[in-house]
Amino acid sequence: MLAEFEGVVSGHRDGHGFVIRDDGQADIYLPSNEMRAVLHKDRVKARIVRLDRKGRPEGRVTEIVERSDSPIIGRLLQESGVWLVAPEDKRYGQDVLIPKGATGSAKPGQVVVVQLTEPPALYGQPVGRVKEVLGEIDDPGMEIEIAVRKYGVPHEFSQAALAQARALPDHVRSADHKHRVDLRDVPLVTIDGEDARDFDDAVYCEPAKVGKGKGWRLLVAIADVSHYVETGSAIDVDAYDRATSVYFPRRVIPMLPEKLSNGLCSLNPGVERLCMVCDMLVNAKGEVHAYQFYPAVMFSHARFTYTEVAAILQNTRGPEAAQRKPLVPYLLNLHDVYRALLAARNERGAVDFETTETQIVCDESGRIEKIVPRTRNDAHKLIEESMLAANVCSADFIQQSKHAGLFRVHEGPTPEKQEILRNYLKAMGVSQTIGDNPKPADFQQIANATKDRPEAQQIHTMLLRSMQQAIYTPINSGHFGLAFEAYTHFTSPIRRYPDLLVHRVIKAILARKRYELPALPTPGEAHAKLSKRLASRVRPPVAGEPVKKPSADTLAWQAAGLHCSANERRADEASRDVEAWLKCKYMREHLGEEFSGVVTAVTSFGLFVTLDAMYVEGLVHITELGGEYFRFDEARQELRGERTGIRYALGSRVRVQVSRVDLDGRRIDFRLVSDNDDLVLRAMRDKTGTSGATDAGAPGGRDGKARRNREAGGKAKAGRMDSTQTPVMDVKASVRKAADKKSSRGGARSTASQSRKSRR
């Protein structure tokens, strides 16, 4: 009897799907006929019935273990007297029939939330009822309403949490001052972006003698959320469920009720606030010589913006400095300690690539007016370095106290990613490379050595892509990118739950107690997916080596870390989805227009191009590159034409026309309208052998299969990221299908992100 495997169905917009196996092995492909009786997110058992020509497993569903109870969002339509909802998420693959009496108050064309009443069958569509009417598709903020439901982002606080928030005081009471250091006379200030609404952190710096030399005393004061949000309270349960605030253009889904996030906990100027302080002595080399933590009461003396502080630092006699004259010396002290911390950062070899971050500027109706780059000035950097120093001290304090807690762990590249990067650097002629056990300094050295090369942007992009994502875990293994032996998050408890847990642990240590996690809610789907992904990283036990079972306390902290990590990714996905929607709506107004851009990703099925003027990314399908064969070279991350030798690689400059915008699929298609002269000249030099380079993708390295394809008169076919080719003839639609799996998540990928302050 053939083995059965359990997993979750992941649908595809073209009708087929996959079973994401619980054991972490290769996904099982489900053809369209197997998807008729199941839906995206259903839990099933399946068995493998055959392998395709590339050795990938194809399967058949043998049992539906559990139907997903996730609501489906879509537009209500009426066709020939029949009501149905077309899902906004095309992975569901089937329209949902709505009986006449189950439409509620919804009108045709409106966006609704549907609860299934009958699952699909082999010969029958799913049936449901309208549960909620969201409004018209073009209503302001509709993209956010869809995203929070699509990704299961909690967006309404429980009545118990709201009642608890209402019962909190409106200001700091004199009784709250007990057992706190009074810092109200210390000129602490906040420095944030112009659009910031909640203020987690305030800073102060003064010169100080450190050991026998000069240095600084640096205070980082963080909102004391743990004073108001008690473990296991209604607000705490809601905060844990969210795990993070979610940031959208023009709207935030906060982790805490507004009374706390924008009021009582926010370090607003001119009012008393409770805080937890990391008080540090930093020497001239930028090393933290000593530190201490204590609860305090503070009074923010000013609310600065990054732009304002940068202007003051550039010109201490300018108008901005004149308006803030009493505080200018403290800003200069902050700048001095920043330069020392930066020197220490460079000394330890932390990775610091300069990347372009963007901000979407919307009008009152939510429509994009423009997309602008965020420039990082010294004000951003001095706050970032101050926060990093406080976070490192927090991790050290927890570790030295041997107390359980959450660390922010960033592991080095996997062996597979290391090999891809080594091959790429070799193909690009970069003399520096990485070893089997690379250090952060190796990456920074490569970045510094290649910063003046024409291909610098693409090389730095590949360096970044080789990195893993950081996670929260009680098992510390350091932060690779920042080159810290121990690191955690302490500085944003208003918007990140791990920071709130770190505050509670630090307070428990100061009180000589032990903090115990509350009973946590059952982990969700995102937690399960991340848990499976992380399990693949675990080193298998060595034969004969004793296996140490983790304690119940460690397991509880691991669950909390997984939950917070998964919900961080959920928030990122929801934000990207909204930004992609907005960019697609924006680009619909520019159909047919031409723009210059740069290639930001290369796949076997085409090029992703980011427009210079708009910072919007779209796909140039391989069938739009011209009537010749293009071979994908994974090592070089480029497509090369077999006849002309023209190459399209990361960083290549191109000119494109906006040819198609798919709002539902969050995808933008471009058409190549001209080639860069430098590319053509370089390609021709390669063709004549002046570069001395030949590889499997160059004209001199064609294999028999490529020759047969050429004789067939076809074009290169989009497929998986390998260097094989098959003729396409006139089946451009099949190319689009292969591209969709990538482009549905990246066709309008956002280059915007939150500031580094919130990401570290």
Side-chain angles (χ1 to χ4, degrees):
M1 183 177 176
L2 293 174
E4 291 184 338
F5 305 96
E6 192 166 323
V8 176
V9 173
S10 177
H12 191 276
R13 60 185 291 117
D14 288 324
H16 61 267
F18 301 88
V19 176
I20 313 299
R21 288 170 53 170
D22 291 345
D23 58 10
Q25 297 300 308
D27 300 344
I28 302 173
Y29 172 78
L30 297 177
S32 300
N33 62 314
E34 285 294 317
M35 289 293 293
R36 287 186 303 199
V38 296
L39 285 175
H40 176 61
K41 295 185 179 181
D42 283 349
R43 172 165 287 279
V44 300
K45 286 183 180 178
R47 67 168 179 260
I48 298 170
V49 294
R50 65 177 66 85
L51 299 178
D52 67 10
R53 60 186 179 83
K54 291 187 178 181
R56 295 171 301 195
E58 181 178 319
R60 178 174 298 156
V61 174
T62 57
E63 181 184 344
I64 298 168
V65 178
E66 184 181 3
R67 294 286 187 182
S68 170
D69 60 357
S70 299
I72 297 174
I73 301 97
R75 294 181 72 180
L76 181 65
L77 306 173
Q78 189 176 32
E79 296 181 358
S80 303
V82 177
W83 291 93
L84 53 88
V85 167
E88 189 276 338
D89 188 341
K90 299 305 176 187
R91 291 176 296 180
Y92 281 98
Q94 300 185 56
D95 293 341
V96 181
L97 293 174
I98 308 295
K100 286 184 179 180
T103 58
S105 61
K107 298 175 183 177
Q110 287 187 319
V111 181
V112 298
V113 180
V114 171
Q115 192 70 51
L116 291 185
T117 55
E118 293 180 29
L122 281 176
Y123 302 102
Q125 287 177 260
V127 179
R129 63 178 181 85
V130 173
K131 179 183 175 184
E132 182 183 3
V133 180
L134 300 183
E136 303 297 334
I137 190 68
D138 290 322
D139 285 350
M142 179 54 66
E143 69 281 356
I144 296 174
E145 296 297 332
I146 291 173
V148 295
R149 290 162 178 82
K150 180 177 176 180
Y151 291 95
V153 175
H155 58 285
E156 293 179 344
F157 288 103
S158 65
Q159 290 301 314
L162 292 174
Q164 201 170 66
R166 285 194 296 269
L168 290 170
D170 295 320
H171 57 274
V172 174
R173 299 164 300 190
S174 56
D176 298 325
H177 293 196
K178 288 182 180 179
H179 309 300
R180 289 181 179 270
V181 177
D182 191 342
L183 296 180
R184 287 175 292 179
D185 59 335
V186 176
L188 285 151
V189 299
T190 62
I191 305 175
D192 285 275
E194 280 81 358
D195 55 351
R197 294 178 61 198
D198 53 68
F199 307 107
D200 288 282
D201 54 86
V203 288
Y204 166 80
C205 185
E206 65 183 18
K209 190 174 181 179
V210 180
K212 295 182 180 180
K214 294 181 179 179
W216 300 268
R217 182 189 181 197
L218 174 63
L219 268 63
V220 174
I222 305 299
D224 191 359
V225 175
S226 62
H227 178 82
Y228 299 105
V229 181
E230 296 181 4
T231 297
S233 66
I235 295 177
D236 188 43
V237 169
D238 277 20
Y240 176 79
D241 189 30
R242 296 173 181 227
T244 179
S245 295
V246 187
Y247 292 85
F248 300 109
R250 297 179 65 249
R251 184 178 168 189
V252 177
I253 308 292
M255 185 181 81
L256 299 172
E258 189 173 356
K259 184 168 183 178
L260 287 167
S261 60
N262 293 348
L264 194 54
C265 289
S266 184
L267 306 183
N268 299 326
V271 293
E272 291 183 5
R273 287 290 182 258
L274 304 183
C275 59
M276 282 294 293
V277 177
C278 181
D279 191 337
M280 296 166 276
L281 286 176
V282 182
N283 65 24
K285 293 182 179 180
E287 301 164 340
V288 177
H289 179 77
Y291 67 82
Q292 61 177 329
F293 288 92
Y294 50 81
V297 57
M298 62 163 282
F299 182 93
S300 175
H301 283 56
R303 181 265 202 263
F304 283 101
T305 67
Y306 293 124
T307 306
E308 186 182 7
V309 171
I312 292 172
L313 295 176
Q314 286 176 354
N315 183 6
T316 55
R317 296 185 179 181
E320 294 87 359
Q323 292 176 5
R324 305 281 200 170
K325 192 173 181 179
L327 296 172
V328 169
Y330 304 111
L331 294 180
L332 295 176
N333 292 337
L334 281 167
H335 196 233
D336 289 341
V337 76
Y338 150 68
R339 285 185 290 198
L341 291 168
L342 183 62
R345 179 195 190 107
N346 294 334
E347 179 67 25
R348 69 176 188 271
V351 177
D352 187 18
F353 303 142
E354 286 295 334
T355 56
T356 302
E357 298 182 354
T358 60
Q359 177 183 7
I360 293 177
V361 180
C362 297
D363 60 19
E364 288 301 316
S365 64
R367 175 185 166 276
I368 291 183
E369 285 187 339
K370 56 184 176 180
I371 302 170
V372 296
R374 289 183 187 267
T375 54
R376 289 180 69 239
N377 53 43
D378 276 5
H380 291 86
K381 295 174 184 178
L382 72 83
I383 287 297
E384 179 182 351
E385 288 300 329
S386 299
M387 298 305 114
L388 292 179
N391 286 337
V392 170
C393 292
S394 304
D396 184 73
F397 189 60
I398 293 171
Q399 196 168 41
Q400 294 297 329
S401 304
K402 294 182 171 53
H403 194 296
L406 287 183
F407 296 94
R408 180 70 167 177
V409 168
H410 181 230
E411 296 180 339
T414 62
E416 295 78 15
K417 288 191 174 184
Q418 289 179 32
E419 188 62 26
I420 291 171
L421 180 60
R422 277 192 288 266
N423 291 337
Y424 173 75
L425 294 172
K426 183 179 179 181
M428 293 299 293
V430 178
S431 57
Q432 294 86 355
T433 189
I434 59 171
D436 293 334
N437 188 26
K439 302 289 188 290
D442 300 337
F443 285 77
Q444 196 60 43
Q445 184 181 10
I446 295 169
N448 293 337
T450 57
K451 64 182 179 182
D452 296 325
R453 289 181 51 154
E455 312 94 334
Q457 185 65 43
Q458 68 186 88
I459 293 171
H460 293 186
T461 299
M462 284 299 293
L463 290 172
L464 280 171
R465 288 179 181 171
S466 68
M467 305 282 186
Q468 296 191 62
Q469 282 185 299
I471 60 168
Y472 295 106
T473 172
I475 302 169
N476 176 47
S477 54
H479 196 292
F480 180 85
L482 295 173
F484 287 131
E485 292 183 3
Y487 185 72
T488 191
H489 277 167
F490 164 78
T491 54
S492 295
I494 290 177
R495 50 200 168 105
R496 291 190 306 225
Y497 196 81
D499 303 54
L500 176 56
L501 289 176
V502 166
H503 276 234
R504 289 171 176 167
V505 169
I506 289 174
K507 278 189 174 181
I509 295 170
L510 291 174
R512 303 184 186 281
K513 297 179 181 178
R514 196 153 192 90
Y515 176 72
E516 291 187 9
L517 284 169
L520 301 172
T522 304
E525 176 195 357
H527 172 287
K529 286 167 65 176
L530 182 65
S531 179
K532 186 189 76 171
R533 200 156 66 233
L534 293 179
S536 63
R537 295 190 194 176
V538 177
R539 177 178 64 86
V542 178
E545 184 180 278
V547 179
K548 186 179 179 181
K549 289 186 177 181
S551 65
D553 191 37
T554 300
L555 288 173
W557 281 99
Q558 282 181 335
L562 275 171
H563 173 81
C564 293
S565 301
N567 285 2
E568 177 186 41
R569 283 151 180 73
R570 178 180 69 182
D572 289 342
E573 289 172 358
S575 296
R576 283 195 296 266
D577 190 76
V578 167
E579 290 178 3
W581 167 293
L582 289 171
K583 288 182 177 182
C584 285
K585 288 193 75 173
Y586 183 48
M587 294 309 293
R588 282 199 305 189
E589 301 172 10
H590 299 280
L591 278 168
E593 295 181 27
E594 296 181 8
F595 302 93
S596 60
V598 64
V599 175
T600 46
V602 183
T603 72
S604 59
F605 52 76
L607 312 168
F608 284 93
V609 175
T610 299
L611 305 182
D612 294 333
M614 297 183 172
Y615 303 95
V616 170
E617 189 180 62
L619 178 69
V620 178
H621 288 93
I622 200 167
T623 51
E624 303 287 356
L625 296 180
E628 66 171 306
Y629 302 97
F630 280 86
R631 183 182 293 276
F632 176 64
D633 186 332
E634 186 174 16
R636 291 179 178 270
Q637 287 292 295
E638 69 179 20
L639 286 172
R640 182 188 290 249
E642 287 197 345
R643 179 172 53 82
T644 62
I646 289 178
R647 298 183 299 179
Y648 297 102
L650 288 176
S652 296
R653 300 209 57 80
V654 293
R655 189 160 184 82
V656 297
Q657 181 186 53
V658 183
S659 60
R660 178 173 173 261
V661 175
D662 177 4
L663 189 60
D664 289 340
R666 311 289 195 271
R667 198 177 77 186
I668 300 166
D669 285 347
F670 295 147
R671 183 178 68 82
L672 204 64
V673 293
S674 64
D675 296 320
N676 185 285
D677 291 340
D678 291 339
L679 279 176
V680 177
L681 289 172
R682 186 173 65 184
M684 291 307 168
R685 284 199 301 271
D686 288 350
K687 187 176 174 71
T688 54
T690 54
S691 69
T694 14
D695 56 42
R702 297 181 185 131
D703 58 15
K705 186 171 184 179
R707 187 160 49 250
R708 288 195 299 273
N709 289 341
R710 186 175 67 257
E711 291 165 357
K715 297 179 182 178
K717 180 180 179 181
R720 297 245 177 196
M721 295 174 68
D722 58 30
S723 57
T724 60
Q725 292 177 303
T726 52
V728 167
M729 303 301 183
D730 291 318
V731 287
K732 187 183 292 186
S734 68
V735 177
R736 294 186 184 277
K737 283 185 180 182
D740 275 343
K741 189 171 183 181
K742 164 77 174 175
S743 61
S744 63
R745 65 180 174 84
R749 287 189 302 183
S750 166
T751 53
S753 60
Q754 292 181 43
S755 67
R756 296 177 183 218
K757 176 178 169 183
S758 64
R759 263 205 328 262
R760 293 295 190 191

